[in-house]
Amino acid sequence: MNKTGDTNSTPIVHQKNFNDFYRWLDGFINFEKRPHKKTFSLEVIGYYAALFSNPQTAYKTVHIAGSKGKGSVAAMFSALLTEAGYRTGLYTSPHVNDFRERITENGRFFDNSAYLKAFRTVREGIQPYIGKESEPQPSWFELVTLTAFVLFRQEKLDWAVFETGMGGRLDATNIVQPELTVLTPIELEHCEYLGHTIPLIAAEKAGIIKAWCPVFCSRQQPSALEVFKERAAALNAPFFYLPDFIETIEHRLTPHGREVTIRFSAAHPVGALFKRPLHTILPLFTPVQAENAALAAAAFKYRFPDAPEDLIESGLSKAWLPARFQLLSTKPLIVLDGAHTHNSIRTCADTFFSLLNNGSGASIPYNDSTSVHSGRSAIHAAPSIAYSGTLPVSGTIPAYSDTQSIPDAPPKTKPILVFACAADKHPAGFAPIFYGNIAHLYLTVPGSFKKGNLEKTVGAFTQVFENENSVVMEASEDFNAILKKAFTQSITENRPLLITGSFYLAAEAQRVYSAEGFQDRETQG
């Protein structure tokens, strides 16, 4: 089985057939690419799934929704199932480099022949219904989701972990009948579809809760938590809230990722399942991953109470997704992150600047502004250790050598930032996050796939940085040129570089970095 991102191993004839399928998909409405007024409904995905004898019922499932962290939690749960010996499908979005990243076996590509067979099955089965007024017409995401359903059944998997694409109640994944439901933090997102308040968005996410199906929920704003609890109670779904079954989560940065120690509450029925605290190193660097790991571990232990702690620790240590604080280079430090909400961008920036400080001084605080713990749970960032030694090649897109260590940047060297966000985002809230910490600022659009509003982004950053005369700011809609210039400057000056604001920008950055051979131009000496 190929690692995700390993497109070089794909024979040309297979790549041509893949591209034929992708072009066919592109003929359908794609809400990831641009807004559209199509009415959402589960009737369409239900109709077409029935044509294929409901492939989503052929394996056990876990269903995950939320504004942030759902992809990481999905990867963690998939890794835990795999560690336990189950063949596990993983369905996430968006993809960064290769469409097949969306539909994998625990983050690894299936054989090319498996994809081709599923692509052919779906296309041939759907095509007679396309364009007929009497038949419901599917969207791009509905067809991709159907393809995942079909492929996982075709490969006779034991389990599949599904991350919702947008919302939950009317998301195409919401025809699965899960063994577990997981809810990650809620923020304002996709407001034109989901609503303009936290309770409205939470109500859409709560739509994945099923009768009698256990729900594991991360920390939430009070208004979101109230919605989730009410929905679970109405459906008699057991509801387990992270702060209730956790005593403490301690975490710190290490050269290998984020080291975490999770202590569960023996007074809680879920916490009591653990015989000892969990201690592991996650190959995911940001602080929020500590809570994501606790959530995934608790849900897994609830479903598999006999699973030993060392199995859970080992599984968590292998969970990875591209563009989640992904290190492209350590000399100089080059990081790309698909963060695109205020909290995730803040977390990304905090982690990046901590790396630049070599873990010195203060730890990274995990902000608990919701006051939902009632003193029952505490989450601490332990003092970070100094950065020395080696970094492992984590995940599936090897972008740097495992013999490199994170070097000391030149004294007082401020980094470069490349930033772009989608047109529906609010860059005025993002710009202050970077104030006082950036030497060179490149602003652009997320790429050709996702629409941006460069004028709005430039206006927001100009207003924040107008009094910081030492910052050089450049802006262009030519994202290729911007990325090439930023990579070149970073390597030439041995200056750290952060690229963030959008998964689509992260994808373009990965492509440019590889295509232009920047991995071969790292600073020498």
Side-chain angles (χ1 to χ4, degrees), residues 87-359:
R87 290 194 64 195
T88 305
L90 178 60
Y91 182 64
T92 60
S93 60
H95 63 275
V96 176
N97 297 289
D98 189 310
F99 172 87
R100 294 172 296 167
E101 293 169 23
R102 295 171 178 264
I103 311 171
T104 65
E105 183 174 346
N106 187 38
R108 291 177 175 267
F109 289 151
F110 294 96
D111 290 339
N112 290 329
S113 59
Y115 285 107
L116 289 173
K117 182 179 179 181
F119 292 170
R120 184 167 52 251
T121 298
V122 170
R123 185 172 180 176
E124 291 178 354
I126 292 291
Q127 194 60 46
Y129 299 86
I130 300 306
K132 292 186 176 181
E133 293 185 3
S134 59
E135 306 292 346
Q137 297 302 296
S139 68
W140 187 92
F141 187 77
E142 286 164 337
L143 289 174
V144 174
T145 302
L146 179 63
T147 302
F149 291 160
V150 169
L151 179 53
F152 292 159
R153 180 181 63 182
Q154 170 191 295
E155 296 304 298
K156 297 179 171 60
L157 301 189
D158 304 306
W159 283 79
V161 180
F162 287 93
E163 171 197 0
T164 59
M166 180 173 63
R169 181 175 64 92
L170 298 177
D171 189 80
T173 61
N174 202 26
I175 63 170
V176 300
Q177 294 297 319
E179 301 278 318
L180 293 168
T181 295
V182 182
L183 297 167
T184 65
I186 302 303
E187 295 183 42
L188 293 175
E189 54 148 358
H190 303 301
C191 294
E192 66 272 34
Y193 298 117
L194 306 180
H196 292 271
T197 67
I198 292 296
L200 286 175
I201 294 174
E204 291 298 320
K205 308 289 185 181
I208 73 167
I209 298 175
K210 305 293 191 300
W212 307 103
C213 178
V215 180
F216 280 78
C217 182
S218 67
R219 282 193 302 158
Q220 302 288 347
Q221 299 182 45
S223 59
L225 180 61
E226 182 180 1
V227 171
F228 291 149
K229 284 186 172 181
E230 287 181 357
R231 179 65 177 171
L235 294 173
N236 295 303
F239 187 86
F240 302 107
Y241 186 45
L242 180 74
D244 292 341
F245 56 77
I246 294 293
E247 285 190 352
T248 61
I249 302 176
E250 298 174 352
H251 57 91
R252 62 176 182 173
L253 282 171
T254 78
H256 308 289
R258 186 156 293 271
E259 182 179 3
V260 299
T261 300
I262 306 167
R263 292 181 173 85
F264 296 88
S265 172
H268 191 278
V270 171
L273 296 173
F274 291 86
K275 296 179 180 178
R276 61 171 175 82
L278 297 179
H279 181 82
T280 192
I281 296 179
L282 308 172
L284 299 163
F285 283 76
T286 53
V288 71
Q289 302 299 350
E291 286 201 26
N292 288 341
L295 187 66
F300 180 81
K301 186 71 168 175
Y302 180 85
R303 181 59 178 77
F304 299 97
D306 294 330
E309 281 71 21
D310 57 354
L311 180 149
I312 296 174
E313 292 164 337
S314 178
L316 290 174
S317 73
K318 299 173 184 177
W320 188 85
L321 280 175
R324 275 73 168 183
F325 207 86
Q326 181 181 345
L327 275 68
L328 293 184
S329 166
T330 60
K331 191 176 181 181
L333 178 65
I334 300 178
V335 173
L336 61 83
D337 194 306
H340 56 279
T341 69
H342 184 275
N343 287 347
S344 62
I345 291 173
R346 165 69 72 183
T347 299
C348 167
D350 286 347
T351 305
F352 181 73
F353 296 132
S354 181
L355 280 173
L356 296 186
N357 292 330
N358 284 330

Side-chain angles (χ1 to χ4, degrees), residues 317-428:
S317 73
K318 299 173 184 177
W320 188 85
L321 280 175
R324 275 73 168 183
F325 207 86
Q326 181 181 345
L327 275 68
L328 293 184
S329 166
T330 60
K331 191 176 181 181
L333 178 65
I334 300 178
V335 173
L336 61 83
D337 194 306
H340 56 279
T341 69
H342 184 275
N343 287 347
S344 62
I345 291 173
R346 165 69 72 183
T347 299
C348 167
D350 286 347
T351 305
F352 181 73
F353 296 132
S354 181
L355 280 173
L356 296 186
N357 292 330
N358 284 330
S360 62
S363 61
I364 301 175
Y366 199 98
N367 180 33
D368 180 13
S369 59
T370 60
S371 301
V372 293
H373 291 319
S374 303
R376 301 175 64 183
S377 172
I379 298 171
H380 307 292
S384 303
I385 68 173
Y387 279 78
S388 58
T390 60
L391 277 165
V393 178
S394 302
T396 53
I397 302 178
Y400 55 91
S401 168
D402 63 358
T403 62
Q404 295 173 309
S405 60
I406 297 179
D408 293 331
K412 298 182 180 179
T413 299
K414 287 187 176 180
I416 304 164
L417 172 67
V418 177
F419 185 89
C421 61
D424 62 347
K425 301 297 181 181
H426 302 287

